[in-house]
Amino acid sequence: MNTLKNTAQSFFNHVEPAPPDAILGLNEAFKNDPNPEKINLTVGVYQDENGVTPVLDCIRAAEKRLIEQEKSKSYLGIQGSPEYASSVQNLIFGKEHPVVTQARAATVQTPGGTGGLRIAGDFIKRQFDQARVWMSSPTWANHPAIFAASGLVTKSYTYLDADKTGLDFAGMKESLSESRPGDVLLLHGCCHNPTGVDFSVDQWSELAEWVRSRELLPLVDCAYQGFHKGLKEDVAGVLALCDAGLEVMVCSSFSKNLGLYGERVGAMTVVAQDRSAADAILSHVKSCIRVNYSNPPRHGAALATIVLNDAEFSRRWQDELSAIRSRIKQVRSLLVSEMNSRTEVDFSFIERQNGMFSFSGLTPVQVDQLRNEYSIYIVGGGRINVAGINTRNIGRLCDSIAAVL
Ligand code: LMR
């Protein structure tokens, strides 16, 4: 049906426009909206009180050093920079963790966390053709499409309770009773996207045992390390899985925590049982990369490597990240008090959710109304980027939400 045809002297005239992307499409619509009071709560990009997505000071300093010291812009190896890979492992597992000291993990540098997920999908498809990828309902809008693009079957598991504000852990396990040994379980390391609802440390440990008993392969999307409690605290889930002796895949990103969004700096790590398994895995992952983008971009990863390996830059980074966390928490509290002063609906759950996103409880009709009548842009399922709120727009935002409730 989609054969190439040039009957009207054109191959392309019959091509219909594709629907806009669920998140980035809205961001484009926001940019085109002429309303000077428009508010953008769509794409997961941190904004400061002035609505600016800043270049972190630690990155500016690293960039200065890189410019002075960089010797070449030649290609990196297929898997990226080895120093970067080792920095990623140290950050996720800690330098002294057996996964690192026993060289049991293979890490490749990828173009953002999305690139890591796609390479993970391609690797899984090549090695475990029949594996199905189970993801939370809801999950990041791009997850199902990424794994489907790798040719994998995707399934969803229950995640939220009836109010859609907290976790339904029992319901999750119940819906996963249909999983088969060898299926992949996609988990969010912290700051679940789109809900902000996470597992407790105890639940991660329980999950580790449960995953083992069901013979599932955990794949952790770790895009927000440092956005909830701190860099160490936010990988407690990944470590619980590793400490239980499980093999794990981790996709990570410096888009958010180093503000390197457009530099596309991510990684895909496979934790195996020993070094020789990790080496064999790496050889296959490299062949997945070679046919996708050949080798990764070098600039952003070089910046991340400098920051992670310089004590002074790392300290600055921790301070800047801590300021980001504090601002997000303050905005959450302010949003709850502003909404509670305007409506009977209880918004206190927003303070219990973590990271950049909250599930607002707004219906698709209300979300549409906010966009069409008030130029307030929120992702379809009701996800709001809390970091897009500031003291100048919160009044108009809360008045408008109260008006559509
Ligand atoms: C988001 O969820 O908004 C971010 O992860 C950015 C994206 O690519 O969708």
Side-chain angles (χ1 to χ4, degrees):
M1 150 159 158
N2 285 329
T3 51
L4 202 57
K5 55 181 176 199
N6 68 351
T7 47
Q9 305 300 316
S10 169
F11 290 112
F12 302 128
N13 284 351
H14 71 285
V15 176
E16 299 287 339
D21 182 79
I23 297 172
L24 299 184
L26 277 174
N27 203 40
E28 282 167 28
F30 171 82
K31 283 184 187 150
N32 295 331
D33 187 334
N35 185 345
E37 302 215 294
K38 61 188 177 180
I39 301 175
N40 187 3
L41 307 182
T42 61
V43 65
V45 168
Y46 176 77
Q47 296 171 42
D48 64 17
E49 170 59 25
N50 298 314
V52 173
T53 302
V55 179
L56 298 189
D57 285 346
C58 62
I59 288 296
R60 279 201 196 284
E63 203 140 37
K64 199 160 168 281
R65 185 180 291 176
L66 183 64
I67 286 169
E68 284 161 9
Q69 296 182 352
E70 192 171 45
K71 291 199 181 61
S72 174
K73 295 272 187 201
S74 182
Y75 293 128
L76 292 174
I78 295 173
Q79 74 269 40
S81 144
E83 295 78 26
Y84 172 80
S86 144
S87 311
V88 166
Q89 291 189 6
N90 291 343
L91 182 70
I92 296 176
F93 307 106
K95 273 190 183 132
E96 308 300 329
H97 195 279
V99 162
V100 176
T101 55
Q102 295 167 8
R104 282 201 273 126
T107 296
V108 292
Q109 175 188 330
T110 58
T114 306
L117 287 161
R118 178 59 196 267
I119 293 304
D122 287 3
F123 171 74
I124 292 165
K125 177 69 185 175
R126 285 193 191 187
Q127 297 297 320
F128 321 112
D129 188 32
Q130 298 305 307
R132 297 153 335 150
V133 183
W134 289 83
M135 46 194 77
S136 59
S137 171
T139 191
W140 179 41
N142 211 14
H143 273 153
I146 291 172
F147 292 100
S150 292
L152 290 158
V153 172
T154 61
K155 309 281 276 177
S156 53
Y157 58 83
T158 301
Y159 194 69
L160 291 178
D161 59 17
D163 293 343
K164 302 212 176 306
T165 57
L167 181 69
D168 181 1
F169 197 49
M172 170 181 173
K173 290 193 282 188
E174 169 68 28
S175 62
L176 279 165
S177 63
E178 286 171 40
S179 63
R180 298 191 297 237
D183 278 353
V184 174
L185 178 61
L186 177 63
L187 300 161
H188 298 228
C190 68
C191 307
H192 184 273
N193 179 2
T195 67
V197 174
D198 289 330
F199 303 116
S200 67
V201 176
D202 287 345
Q203 283 167 332
W204 274 108
S205 301
E206 197 180 327
L207 206 52
E209 288 316 316
W210 189 82
V211 160
R212 185 206 310 285
S213 70
R214 296 203 62 84
E215 296 175 45
L216 300 174
L217 172 62
L219 164 55
V220 186
D221 186 351
C222 209
Y224 293 89
Q225 185 180 0
F227 263 66
H228 176 209
K229 286 191 175 155
L231 287 168
K232 283 210 178 86
E233 296 84 340
D234 292 356
V235 284
V238 175
L239 294 183
L241 301 174
C242 294
D243 292 343
L246 296 168
E247 295 169 311
V248 185
M249 297 177 76
V250 184
C251 295
S252 52
S253 165
F254 290 109
S255 293
K256 327 284 169 170
N257 58 17
L258 272 175
L260 285 172
Y261 305 91
E263 298 286 358
R264 313 309 294 137
V265 193
M268 201 279 285
T269 297
V270 184
V271 178
Q273 285 190 345
D274 57 35
R275 183 181 204 139
S276 71
D279 289 346
I281 288 162
L282 181 63
S283 67
H284 287 282
V285 172
K286 280 167 67 177
S287 90
C288 296
I289 290 173
R290 179 67 172 142
V291 296
N292 267 292
Y293 51 86
S294 191
N295 50 70
R298 57 187 300 152
H299 186 76
L303 300 178
T305 307
I306 291 173
V307 173
L308 268 64
N309 291 287
D310 180 288
E312 169 55 21
F313 291 179
S314 284
R315 195 194 51 73
R316 263 197 242 176
W317 178 35
Q318 302 257 10
D319 290 347
E320 294 187 277
L321 207 42
S322 156
I324 288 174
R325 281 195 299 274
S326 306
R327 185 179 119 66
I328 290 177
K329 287 208 176 81
Q330 276 166 12
V331 172
R332 285 184 180 280
S333 304
L334 195 59
L335 182 59
V336 171
S337 65
E338 292 285 325
M339 282 315 303
N340 287 353
S341 71
R342 285 171 171 79
T343 117
E344 294 296 298
V345 182
D346 178 15
F347 278 89
S348 59
F349 62 87
I350 287 183
E351 278 184 288
R352 293 193 294 276
Q353 299 172 343
N354 309 326
M356 197 127 69
F357 304 120
S358 259
F359 234 31
S360 60
L362 293 165
T363 65
V365 172
Q366 291 163 340
V367 167
D368 282 352
Q369 209 181 340
L370 284 168
R371 184 171 66 245
N372 298 334
E373 295 174 22
Y374 301 90
S375 293
I376 294 172
Y377 289 74
I378 292 174
V379 174
R383 182 192 89 169
I384 56 173
N385 174 7
V386 179
I389 303 173
N390 55 50
T391 47
R392 277 167 295 109
N393 66 20
I394 194 162
R396 194 173 98 75
L397 172 69
C398 293
D399 289 344
S400 311
I401 294 177
V404 303
L405 281 177

